[in-house]
Amino acid sequence: MPKVSEAYKEEKIRNLVQAAKKVFIKKGYVQTSMQDIMDEAGISRGAMYRYFNNLEHVFLEVLREDDQKDVAFFEVSNDEQIWPQIQRWLEMQQQVIENINQSLLQAKAEFFLTSQQHKDDFSYVSQRYDEITEAIEEVLMLGEQKKEFQLQQSPERISRYMISFLNGLMLDTFQLGMKQTKVQEQLSILCFTLEKLLYKE
Amino acid sequence: MPKVSEAYKEEKIRNLVQAAKKVFIKKGYVQTSMQDIMDEAGISRGAMYRYFNNLEHVFLEVLREDDQKDVAFFEVSNDEQIWPQIQRWLEMQQQVIENINQSLLQAKAEFFLTSQQHKDDFSYVSQRYDEITEAIEEVLMLGEQKKEFQLQQSPERISRYMISFLNGLMLDTFQLGMKQTKVQEQLSILCFTLEKLLYKE
DNA sequence: AAATAAACGACACTGTTGTATATTTTAATG
DNA sequence: CATTAAAATATACAACAGTGTCGTTTATTT
């Protein structure tokens, strides 16, 4: 406990972030207090505040950790047709949505929704939105280059369209459960419309 | 021998609800306290608690009031073609989305997102979702009856699809502003895909 | 055993809630 | 029009939950 390596400190923080994440997933952002995280981590108040200034700080660290996992969020292979790859990606999204309760969705939504202050961290949301838009956009353009698609609308529009829809489906599903929103059916509609948007017939 | 009219009481409540609504629109649900509403209404703590038990109670009244305005939410006329009516409705939605900051969207989202307790009032969200789904569904079926459409997917699916998309667009727009999400463009894509879903070609 | 830094937990402070009590307003009555 | 009792409002208060700080304790290294 005294004089200790850098590695120890990092490890400690990683543990705390893990504990925090667990709590945030379970309780969302608004309902979570520092105390909850301390309890989950089995650590004292003083120790906690040695590593984090406040709850917002903790959450931002959790966010950072969570983001890293899907950096390589949409890897396209050039060897294969694009469309099947998109379809596979959509199936992945279905998995994501169906496990929405084990994700940070609620906490994130609450965090960015609740406080005007976070409009400063606004850049985060905004940036992430742009990143994803662009990633999808590129895939679409690639498909067009390869003469596989004939985009009926600009790739940017299509990309944003996909995101809006998926976001809506996620939140509705979180609120209402999968039975009511019928995730699979909805995604198959998205597929249907995407075909119309991507192909000339 | 008692005093005071019924009408007075109702009027009073309506005023309080109005004041509360104003605050909720400005600050959302989570950041709003009873005090904020009392201040806005220029009323004392004691008076406020005579009419409402707690913040949740106030919010539910505000919700009720707000819902009434769009009861006749999607009136279809039988004389006219359905499709133009849907298009007009979508234009209305654009207005709604573009004025999203003057709406209760944030407060509602926060309210239903934040607290597990509200899973009891869950019925509200769930019910409303079903109502809207059914309303749209009926319009679609009417169009099919009139041989105007040839639905490429079940009306239920299409209806839910529309809602998911619009919800997503609303929340994204609230977060990011209209410039980034390009509401109009997005809605025109929705229109495009809807045509594909409604018509055989 | 001296030095050091992590960990602990008590503490003071804040903002908010809901209630209890005091005061004012109201309209029916003599 | 003065009286009066109930209703409406105002004010003060206790309780609480959460925050961030700070002096103290603990355990290891040198």
Side-chain angles (χ1 to χ4, degrees):
Chain A
M1 320 223 155
K3 187 108 190 181
V4 111
S5 65
E6 267 311 298
Y8 172 89
K9 204 168 173 180
E10 281 170 26
E11 177 67 13
K12 185 96 196 179
I13 290 182
R14 282 207 301 123
N15 283 340
L16 291 176
V17 168
Q18 268 321 104
K21 185 173 176 179
K22 216 166 168 180
V23 179
F24 283 128
I25 287 174
K26 187 162 145 233
K27 304 190 64 177
Y29 181 75
V30 173
Q31 297 286 343
T32 295
S33 72
M34 276 297 213
Q35 194 60 58
D36 294 325
I37 296 170
M38 293 166 212
D39 292 348
E40 174 69 36
I43 204 183
S44 75
R45 196 159 195 77
M48 187 73 191
Y49 273 95
R50 168 168 298 284
Y51 296 103
F52 302 98
N53 305 320
N54 51 45
L55 194 67
E56 184 175 330
H57 182 188
V58 181
F59 190 71
L60 289 174
E61 288 305 309
V62 172
L63 262 195
R64 225 156 53 87
E65 194 271 347
D66 190 62
D67 279 355
Q68 290 188 326
K69 75 164 194 266
D70 53 13
V71 167
F73 116 103
F74 198 163
E75 284 298 340
V76 258
S77 130
N78 231 319
D79 313 328
E80 201 187 344
Q81 292 256 83
I82 302 292
W83 179 242
Q85 295 188 63
I86 293 181
Q87 282 181 308
R88 246 183 289 124
W89 182 72
L90 286 176
E91 274 161 36
M92 261 182 47
Q93 293 305 303
Q94 185 183 336
Q95 297 306 312
V96 171
I97 296 178
E98 286 180 351
N99 293 313
I100 208 77
N101 281 310
Q102 273 74 60
S103 83
L104 285 168
L105 177 85
Q106 185 195 4
K108 282 186 191 179
E110 285 178 20
F111 181 75
F112 290 111
L113 220 49
T114 45
S115 126
Q116 327 297 68
Q117 305 159 10
H118 298 150
K119 297 285 179 190
D120 311 334
D121 306 314
F122 176 91
S123 54
Y124 172 88
V125 191
S126 190
Q127 227 172 287
R128 233 172 132 56
Y129 181 81
D130 281 345
E131 272 170 30
I132 299 178
T133 310
E134 277 166 36
I136 298 180
E137 222 178 309
E138 270 174 40
V139 174
L140 295 174
M141 292 186 331
L142 183 63
E144 193 164 43
Q145 260 174 40
K146 296 175 73 175
K147 310 284 186 201
E148 194 183 324
F149 304 151
Q150 285 188 281
L151 304 184
Q152 302 299 297
Q153 298 269 345
S154 79
E156 192 196 358
R157 283 194 189 189
I158 299 179
S159 171
R160 283 164 198 271
Y161 158 78
M162 289 170 70
I163 296 172
S164 290
F165 177 79
L166 287 172
N167 278 346
L169 185 56
M170 278 186 202
L171 274 164
D172 285 352
T173 302
F174 177 78
Q175 287 285 344
L176 305 163
M178 296 178 315
K179 269 145 278 169
Q180 203 168 355
T181 52
K182 315 215 171 152
V183 180
Q184 175 144 29
E185 287 186 20
Q186 287 295 296
L187 284 174
S188 83
I189 286 234
L190 176 60
C191 250
F192 177 92
T193 61
L194 267 182
E195 282 183 336
K196 303 296 180 188
L197 282 163
L198 301 188
Y199 294 107
K200 189 90 184 175
E201 33 187 322
Chain B
M1 323 234 170
K3 333 293 171 182
V4 115
S5 66
E6 263 315 294
Y8 173 89
K9 206 169 171 178
E10 282 170 24
E11 177 67 13
K12 186 95 197 173
I13 289 182
R14 281 207 302 121
N15 283 340
L16 291 177
V17 168
Q18 270 319 105
K21 185 172 175 180
K22 216 165 165 180
V23 179
F24 283 128
I25 287 175
K26 186 161 147 237
K27 304 191 62 177
Y29 182 75
V30 173
Q31 297 286 344
T32 295
S33 72
M34 278 294 212
Q35 194 59 57
D36 293 326
I37 297 171
M38 294 166 211
D39 292 348
E40 173 70 36
I43 203 183
S44 75
R45 197 157 195 77
M48 188 72 192
Y49 273 96
R50 170 159 303 288
Y51 296 102
F52 302 98
N53 306 320
N54 51 46
L55 194 67
E56 183 175 331
H57 182 189
V58 182
F59 189 71
L60 289 173
E61 288 306 308
V62 172
L63 261 195
R64 225 157 54 87
E65 194 272 347
D66 190 62
D67 280 353
Q68 289 186 329
K69 75 162 195 266
D70 53 12
V71 167
F73 115 100
F74 197 164
E75 284 298 339
V76 257
S77 132
N78 231 319
D79 313 328
E80 200 187 344
Q81 292 257 85
I82 302 291
W83 179 241
Q85 295 188 63
I86 293 181
Q87 282 181 309
R88 246 184 290 124
W89 182 72
L90 286 176
E91 275 161 34
M92 262 183 46
Q93 293 305 302
Q94 187 184 335
Q95 298 305 312
V96 171
I97 295 178
E98 287 179 350
N99 293 313
I100 208 78
N101 282 311
Q102 272 74 60
S103 84
L104 285 167
L105 177 85
Q106 185 195 4
K108 282 187 190 177
E110 284 178 19
F111 181 77
F112 290 111
L113 219 50
T114 45
S115 125
Q116 327 296 66
Q117 306 159 10
H118 300 149
K119 297 285 177 188
D120 311 335
D121 306 314
F122 176 90
S123 54
Y124 172 89
V125 190
S126 190
Q127 229 172 284
R128 232 171 132 57
Y129 181 81
D130 281 344
E131 272 170 29
I132 299 179
T133 309
E134 277 166 35
I136 298 180
E137 223 176 309
E138 270 173 41
V139 174
L140 295 175
M141 292 187 330
L142 184 62
E144 192 164 43
Q145 260 174 43
K146 295 175 75 175
K147 309 285 186 202
E148 193 183 322
F149 303 151
Q150 284 189 282
L151 304 183
Q152 303 298 298
Q153 298 269 345
S154 78
E156 192 197 359
R157 282 193 187 190
I158 300 180
S159 171
R160 284 165 197 270
Y161 158 77
M162 289 170 69
I163 295 171
S164 290
F165 177 78
L166 287 172
N167 278 346
L169 185 56
M170 278 185 203
L171 275 165
D172 285 351
T173 302
F174 177 78
Q175 287 284 345
L176 305 164
M178 296 176 315
K179 268 146 282 169
Q180 204 168 356
T181 52
K182 316 218 170 150
V183 180
Q184 176 143 25
E185 288 185 19
Q186 288 293 296
L187 284 174
S188 82
I189 287 235
L190 176 62
C191 250
F192 177 92
T193 61
L194 269 182
E195 281 183 337
K196 304 295 180 185
L197 283 162
L198 302 186
Y199 293 108
K200 187 89 184 176
E201 34 188 322

